[in-house]
Amino acid sequence: MKKIIETFELTKYYGKHLGIKDINLSVHEGEIFGFIGSNGAGKSTTIRTLLGLINASSGKAEIFDKEISKNKEYILSHIGYMPSESNFYGDMRVGEVIKYSSQLRKLNCDEEAKKLVDRFELDAKKKISELSLGNRKKVNIVCAMQHKPKLYIFDEPTSGLDPLMQREFWDLVKERNKEGATVFLSSHILSEVQHYCHRAAIISNGSLVMTSAISEIIKSMAKRIVITGISSDFYVEGIKNLKVNGDVASFLYSGDINMILRELSKTEVKDLIITEPDLDEIFMYYYERSETR
Amino acid sequence: MRVFFRELKSGFKSFSIWTLSIAFFVAIVMLMFPEMSGNMNALDESFANMGGFTDAFGLDVLKMTTAMGFYGIESGNIVGIGTAMYAALLGINSLAKEEGKHTAEFLISHPIKRSKIVTEKLSAVFFQIILMNLVIIGVAILSFQIIGEEIQMDQFLKLHLATFFMNIQLAAISFMISAFLKGGGAGIGLGLALSMYFLGIIANITDMAKDLKYITPFKYAEAAQIFSENKLLWDLIGIGMTVSIICILIAYWKFTRKDIAI
């Protein structure tokens, strides 16, 4: 499958302070790729290095098979970027910012811009300085999407948006993805990554912890097991995160499931639930593992 | 040219205030001349014998009793210091304000070469300096006509040409500093303009500090020297313009490589 983004040992130091280290990442054409990490983990540093806003200390990044440091204008002309914080010129009006963005691209996007402004219920005549965080975010959505690029890079795209607008945003992302666009987005809202992304990578302390398909990540993980009607001395080798509340025990288990069943056969169990953990639990699991390394 | 026009539009209010204020004071001072000139014979003599103070402002050369002399002392100082401060402010804010106001990420994530951003922003700085000087020259000429005094155009234009070069030099130095900053540097810009102004005064007072003339652009934009010798100090202007070109090249070099602060 064609790679749209590929990084090779991408490393960035801010003076002596580590931003990211040896990031090897590839995003394939047509996928929605989630980039998960806590605040300060290195998500924005990776994105800003990809866009050429900051220079890599070592390693390199390629987008559309071209190295970013040498082909910045070509690459940026095919990207729609939404930063985590939406800052515009305070003296401009919404419509002026959107127009300025298309003019900087030497494109006329009036028609698509109008559709997006209506869809996100923006007032084009309002001054930027009068907008709430959520509305500034919407202006950013229009600026990033009005020219229908091949690649979208979103840094925490839904922060500040109300739930209705979040849904509208994701609908739009899915539409563009269906039309063939590739999407690379960072988030710490794991449910949206789980829901909308095909693959994801987890970054912690500047290093990639893992990269995989969302379904694979969830499958490869321990199961969440909840048992009702358990004796207080219940224990099986290898269980994690055990929480006992009365006769209800909840824990993560990645070993042989028969061990659990054998143990349970000795007692009168009222109920047994085995589920896949959600991405939050997986995230915490990988984080704890990477912290203890 | 989008960035260029954006710069002009966003700076229009500030440009208008500075330009009209300087022009207003030039006009007021010149309109006061007819009333003051009758009482200034004695003043001229006193001013010419005030030692360091006289040297500092060239009061032994410029005659307050003539319209040109009065213009050189009063308006020359207002125009000199006023335009210098605004030129330095323009230069220092030009690149740094994008990072200071967190708009750099928006601008630089568009497909526009950073060198083009520098070119358009620098052009906007120079355009505003040119326009400001033209407005002030126009108002000064009009003031001379209103009070019915003859303007010695040759000297007058030389003074304003030198002032323009001085503005360009201060703007270029500030512009270079701006490329290194990650936020507003208005204080640095104004500090630079005022320091250069005072260095010019110190260079006039004592021979020990005469080499300061190679540092401060105020020295070649001095009405006393230009009006008395009716020539421009091209050697100093040449040094000043060389410094300006070097500063501009450094600004290009830095801004096209720097990590943009968010």
Side-chain angles (χ1 to χ4, degrees):
Chain A
M1 197 179 275
K2 193 177 170 191
K3 286 171 182 167
I4 295 292
I5 299 175
E6 192 166 21
T7 67
F8 305 88
E9 311 286 322
L10 195 65
T11 300
K12 175 67 185 174
Y13 279 91
Y14 298 100
K16 285 181 184 169
H17 173 70
L18 174 69
I20 51 172
K21 190 164 170 55
D22 297 335
I23 300 284
N24 290 304
L25 196 68
S26 52
V27 178
H28 301 135
E29 188 171 29
E31 73 178 350
I32 304 179
F33 191 99
F35 199 39
I36 311 162
S38 59
N39 294 328
K43 302 188 299 289
S44 296
T45 297
T46 306
I47 287 176
R48 284 165 189 164
T49 313
L50 285 176
L51 293 163
L53 291 165
I54 53 177
N55 303 301
S57 304
S58 64
K60 65 172 182 171
E62 288 181 357
I63 297 182
F64 311 127
D65 290 327
K66 292 178 192 293
E67 202 178 328
I68 181 73
S69 56
K70 291 172 188 150
N71 303 279
K72 224 177 278 180
E73 287 72 45
Y74 171 82
I75 290 169
L76 290 176
S77 66
H78 292 95
I79 289 180
Y81 170 55
M82 192 195 317
S84 55
E85 285 174 29
S86 308
N87 292 302
F88 303 105
Y89 304 96
D91 59 320
M92 286 175 110
R93 294 181 190 280
V94 169
E96 289 173 334
V97 167
I98 293 168
K99 183 86 184 159
Y100 186 47
S101 177
S102 68
Q103 286 171 334
L104 287 172
R105 296 183 179 283
K106 295 183 183 142
L107 295 171
N108 183 348
C109 310
D110 291 353
E111 201 181 317
E112 187 60 26
K114 167 123 189 30
K115 278 189 208 164
L116 293 171
V117 164
D118 291 344
R119 186 166 176 174
F120 285 94
E121 298 166 9
L122 271 167
D123 180 356
K125 292 194 179 87
K126 238 184 174 176
K127 270 203 163 184
I128 291 292
S129 54
E130 294 166 1
L131 295 184
S132 64
L133 170 66
N135 278 324
R136 285 210 306 272
K137 201 91 190 181
K138 291 190 218 168
V139 176
N140 231 325
I141 293 173
V142 180
C143 289
M145 303 185 91
Q146 62 175 338
H147 58 295
K148 293 194 163 184
K150 291 195 271 189
L151 170 65
Y152 294 92
I153 297 182
F154 300 134
D155 195 357
E156 295 180 13
T158 53
S159 62
L161 287 180
D162 65 52
L164 279 177
M165 284 301 139
Q166 284 189 20
R167 204 167 69 183
E168 201 58 55
F169 168 76
W170 285 114
D171 286 347
L172 180 60
V173 169
K174 281 193 288 182
E175 285 166 27
R176 294 291 168 90
N177 181 242
K178 264 188 195 153
E179 290 166 14
T182 306
V183 182
F184 178 75
L185 65 96
S186 81
S187 180
H188 50 229
I189 305 169
L190 300 169
S191 59
E192 65 183 23
V193 174
Q194 186 171 359
H195 202 73
Y196 297 104
C197 295
H198 303 117
R199 287 198 309 142
I202 296 176
I203 185 168
S204 169
N205 291 328
S207 298
L208 274 194
V209 177
M210 58 87 61
T211 308
S212 192
I214 297 287
S215 53
E216 289 300 315
I217 296 173
I218 292 170
K219 239 188 261 171
S220 66
M221 278 298 303
K223 303 283 186 256
R224 161 73 50 195
I225 300 178
V226 182
I227 306 166
T228 309
I230 206 156
S231 61
S232 59
D233 60 344
F234 172 82
Y235 184 77
V236 177
E237 188 68 34
I239 64 173
K240 282 181 198 147
N241 202 13
L242 175 66
K243 288 171 197 157
V244 180
N245 186 7
D247 66 345
V248 180
S250 167
F251 55 88
L252 286 173
Y253 183 69
S254 56
D256 182 0
I257 198 75
N258 291 306
M259 296 275 286
I260 300 277
L261 295 175
R262 247 177 257 136
E263 191 66 25
L264 291 179
S265 66
K266 296 176 195 165
T267 174
E268 198 67 25
V269 173
K270 290 180 197 159
D271 194 13
L272 169 66
I273 303 168
I274 302 176
T275 56
E276 286 174 338
D278 60 23
L279 211 46
D280 283 271
E281 282 177 302
I282 295 169
F283 181 64
M284 292 314 297
Y285 170 78
Y286 277 107
Y287 249 68
E288 279 159 16
R289 261 194 2 176
S290 76
E291 297 280 327
T292 53
R293 265 181 209 165
Chain B
M1 292 296 278
R2 290 294 158 195
V3 176
F4 174 79
F5 289 118
R6 165 85 202 120
E7 286 295 298
L8 294 189
K9 200 175 171 198
S10 69
F12 182 72
K13 207 183 278 179
S14 172
F15 170 82
S16 305
I17 292 169
W18 275 91
T19 304
L20 294 179
S21 300
I22 298 167
F24 174 76
F25 285 115
V26 167
I28 288 291
V29 164
M30 289 317 290
L31 294 175
M32 279 161 46
F33 174 73
E35 201 180 321
M36 290 180 73
S37 62
N39 311 319
M40 277 196 293
N41 281 329
L43 263 183
D44 253 354
E45 209 168 309
S46 314
F47 279 153
N49 295 298
M50 288 170 67
F53 187 78
T54 304
D55 295 336
F57 296 98
L59 299 176
D60 48 342
V61 180
L62 294 170
K63 294 289 169 210
M64 292 277 267
T65 45
T66 66
M68 278 303 281
F70 186 77
Y71 181 77
I73 293 170
E74 300 292 346
S75 301
N77 270 316
I78 293 170
V79 173
I81 192 81
T83 58
M85 284 166 76
Y86 183 59
L89 267 183
L90 274 177
I92 204 88
N93 283 329
S94 186
L95 295 168
K97 73 179 172 199
E98 299 286 351
E99 288 170 88
K101 292 181 178 173
H102 309 290
T103 49
E105 195 170 23
F106 171 80
L107 180 61
I108 300 208
S109 60
H110 282 84
I112 176 167
K113 278 198 168 100
R114 286 201 198 180
S115 56
K116 191 162 190 280
I117 294 173
V118 177
T119 303
E120 294 199 24
K121 279 181 171 277
L122 187 63
S123 306
V125 168
F126 287 167
F127 181 82
Q128 289 173 90
I129 290 173
I130 291 169
L131 200 60
M132 173 175 65
N133 277 280
L134 289 177
V135 170
I136 292 166
I137 288 170
V139 169
I141 292 173
L142 200 66
S143 304
F144 270 88
Q145 284 176 351
I146 291 171
I147 61 174
E149 291 285 344
E150 192 188 342
I151 191 164
Q152 282 159 340
M153 199 52 88
D154 191 27
Q155 294 177 357
F156 175 85
L157 289 179
K158 278 191 179 111
L159 173 64
H160 280 282
L161 185 62
T163 303
F164 169 71
F165 283 131
M166 177 264 280
N167 291 171
I168 292 291
Q169 186 177 341
L170 287 173
I173 297 169
S174 308
F175 192 77
M176 174 194 71
I177 298 170
S178 183
F180 286 84
L181 297 178
K182 292 192 181 295
I188 300 173
L190 292 177
L192 175 76
L194 289 172
S195 313
M196 291 296 190
Y197 176 73
F198 288 116
L199 285 181
I201 291 177
I202 294 167
N204 281 348
I205 294 172
T206 166
D207 274 355
M208 282 161 65
K210 66 176 191 299
D211 286 347
L212 287 176
K213 69 182 179 186
Y214 297 112
I215 295 174
T216 170
F218 279 89
K219 200 72 190 89
Y220 61 69
E222 212 171 64
Q225 177 273 323
I226 293 170
F227 285 2
S228 62
E229 295 174 29
N230 194 19
K231 65 170 190 182
L232 291 172
L233 298 173
W234 284 111
D235 52 343
L236 295 187
I237 292 173
I239 292 171
M241 291 306 101
T242 307
V243 168
S244 303
I245 291 167
I246 292 168
C247 287
I248 289 166
L249 291 176
I250 293 172
Y252 272 100
W253 177 83
K254 179 64 185 171
F255 194 75
T256 49
R257 282 162 179 76
K258 78 185 294 194
D259 282 353
I260 296 299
I262 306 301

